[in-house]
């Protein structure tokens, strides 16, 4: 593996299965062709599942290495000029996760999250560096609660010991009997505090979220290629998803669902329940009952309002032109409403309640009604009655104002990418 995002790739699975008479036929040139090829390869794997039976398919591990191009994003090349630039990693990870979408509509687990990842040793195993988050990628700040006055971000120490402890060959972790090279792994973002003052190896919980200016700041701090892995997706559906698409460049999500008569809600009928018969065996269709809502997760890193992004938002003199999503569905959709309000998110500690400032979304639905509940969009639509043909419903969710452009994005994008952004979304970054 070259650990480089190239302009060419190959249909590796098709080649291994003898699909081509020569290797050149498996070659794919250009990013669009590469993305189509990756999706087609996962389609082949999905089609293998029926051999075992009528089971759902989940991709167990999917991800990309972050130490690409000689660890350029870590500032290890070109005098540190590319430090913090994970654009290649974002393109690679987006292409991989996009392969699970489309008609595949696959479930997957992103590999991986390692709370003790660091630039020098990666995930601490087998020279892999696949973690979506790293302590060495936290943003520089002056708050002593995070960095104890040290300007070196790598020594922010989400650890119980200081940097000198890493020179030891092994460190015992509690009573687990496990060892790791000079670095403790029983940590998470929720344990940031005053580790330098803790000589016993235990780290107190965070008592204040003041170091973060906004929910967007909090959720992206230390994350790598966050816009690629934090994606909108249906968490629960009434019916079967037949097409899932997400465009990072436009912050636009599309979902198509096929709804059958058997997807109608079931209610208990007391007249049909016999003594001693489990109630679950006595259900009837209720044509008046409203089906439960399809639930769609909308990540704040893509759909946050400008005020939620806060100080990280690019403040250039060029502003985005609010886009209208291109609708390509059979029925003319009804624009239900737009929203820039995100109420308090219950049942979840993250993002902190004090940092919840808002989403900015425009929704186009082919049928039904919808509403926002925190970072969930709830969508109700008609379900066919027995004997009726299947329905197909579509929804498009886009960020009002176009995709989020942060100052960090502008700092790291190339001249060509900046030109493309200006041409497509009327966004520009001022020099310097």
């Amino acid at each position: 593996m070259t650990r480089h995002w190239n302009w060419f790739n190959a249909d590796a699975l098709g080649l291994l299965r003898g699909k081509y008479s020569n290797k050149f036929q498996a070659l794919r040139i250009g990013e669009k062709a590469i993305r189509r090829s990756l999706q087609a390869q996962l389609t082949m794997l999905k089609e293998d599942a029926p051999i075992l039976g009528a089971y759902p398919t989940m991709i167990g591990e999917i991800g990309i290495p972050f130490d690409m191009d000689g660890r350029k994003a870590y500032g290890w090349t070109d005098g540190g000029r590319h430090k913090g630039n994970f654009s290649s990693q974002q393109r690679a990870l987006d292409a991989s996760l996009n392969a699970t979408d489309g008609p595949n509509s696959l479930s997957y687990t992103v590999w991986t999250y390692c709370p003790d990842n660091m630039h020098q040793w990666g995930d601490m195993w087998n020279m892999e560096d696949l973690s979506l988050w790293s302590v060495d990628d936290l943003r520089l700040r002056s708050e002593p609660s995070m960095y104890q006055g040290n300007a070196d971000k790598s020594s922010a120490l989400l650890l119980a010991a200081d940097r000198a402890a890493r020179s030891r060959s092994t460190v015992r972790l509690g009573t687990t009997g496990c060892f790791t090279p000079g670095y403790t792994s029983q940590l998470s973002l929720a344990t940031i505090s005053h580790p330098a003052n803790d000589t016993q190896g235990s780290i107190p919980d965070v008592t204040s979220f003041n170091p973060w200016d906004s929910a967007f700041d909090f959720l992206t701090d230390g994350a790598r290629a966050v816009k690629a892995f934090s994606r909108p997706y249906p968490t629960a559906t009434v019916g079967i998803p037949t097409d899932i698409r997400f465009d990072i460049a436009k912050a636009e999500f599309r979902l198509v669902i096929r709804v059958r008569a058997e997807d109608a809600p079931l209610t208990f009928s007391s007249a049909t329940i016999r003594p001693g018969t489990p109630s679950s065996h006595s259900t009837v269709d209720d044509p008046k009952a409203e089906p439960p809502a399809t639930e769609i997760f909308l990540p704040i890193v893509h759909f946050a309002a400008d005020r939620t992004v806060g100080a990280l938002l690019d403040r250039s003199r060029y502003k985005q032109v609010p886009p209208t999503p291109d609708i390509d569905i059979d029925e003319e959709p009804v624009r239900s409403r737009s929203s820039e309000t995100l109420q308090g998110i219950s049942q979840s500690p993250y993002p902190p309640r004090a940092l919840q400032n808002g989403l900015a979304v425009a929704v186009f639905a082919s049928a039904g009604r919808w509403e926002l509940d925190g970072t969930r969009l709830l969508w109700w639509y008609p379900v066919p009655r027995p004997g009726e043909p299947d329905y197909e419903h579509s929804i498009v969710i886009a960020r009002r104002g176009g995709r989020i452009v942060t100052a960090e994005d502008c700092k790291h994008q190339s001249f060509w990418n900046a030109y493309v952004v200006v041409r497509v979304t009327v966004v520009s970054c001022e020099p310097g």
Side-chain angles (χ1 to χ4, degrees), residues 213-420:
D213 296 326
S214 67
F216 186 97
D217 184 14
F218 170 77
L219 292 172
T220 59
D221 200 11
R224 292 108 69 90
V226 63
K227 289 185 178 180
F229 72 79
S230 184
R231 309 166 74 85
Y233 68 96
T235 58
T237 61
V238 177
I240 302 174
T242 58
D243 195 20
I244 299 174
R245 299 181 187 273
F246 177 57
D247 189 333
I248 283 184
K250 297 180 180 179
E252 181 179 300
F253 175 75
R254 295 167 177 257
L255 173 65
V256 179
I257 294 180
R258 178 167 59 89
V259 189
R260 307 155 300 174
E262 53 263 41
D263 295 318
L266 297 176
T267 59
F268 300 119
S269 174
S270 58
T272 60
I273 298 179
R274 299 177 181 177
T277 302
S279 59
S280 60
H281 295 170
S282 303
T283 58
V284 296
D285 295 324
D286 183 357
K288 297 182 180 180
E290 184 179 49
T294 283
E295 301 180 10
I296 302 172
F297 167 65
L298 300 179
I300 201 170
V301 298
H302 288 291
F303 296 98
D306 287 354
R307 62 179 176 272
T308 306
V309 182
L312 297 181
L313 187 71
D314 171 47
R315 302 295 181 182
S316 71
R317 55 190 176 91
Y318 297 99
K319 285 302 178 183
Q320 299 172 334
V321 175
T324 299
D326 299 326
I327 308 299
D328 184 18
I329 53 181
D330 294 336
E331 300 180 30
E332 183 67 20
V334 178
R335 181 170 181 174
S336 303
R337 57 185 172 174
S338 298
S339 173
E340 287 187 351
T341 303
L342 174 63
Q343 300 299 328
I345 302 175
S346 60
Q347 301 177 349
S348 176
Y350 301 109
R353 184 176 297 277
L355 301 182
Q356 296 162 7
N357 298 320
L359 297 183
V361 297
V363 181
F364 300 78
S366 63
R369 63 182 179 86
W370 63 272
E371 66 181 43
L372 281 178
D373 178 21
T375 53
R376 296 185 308 160
L377 184 140
L378 306 178
W379 180 28
W380 292 267
Y381 43 75
V383 175
R385 294 186 178 184
E388 291 185 340
D390 295 349
Y391 292 173
E392 185 176 89
H393 300 310
S394 305
I395 191 168
V396 180
I397 306 169
R399 182 180 185 271
R400 298 189 64 193
R403 72 181 180 91
I404 295 171
V405 179
T406 66
E408 291 175 327
D409 295 333
C410 291
K411 175 183 177 182
H412 296 305
Q413 67 182 345
S414 65
F415 170 80
W416 169 251
N417 287 337
Y419 174 77
V420 170

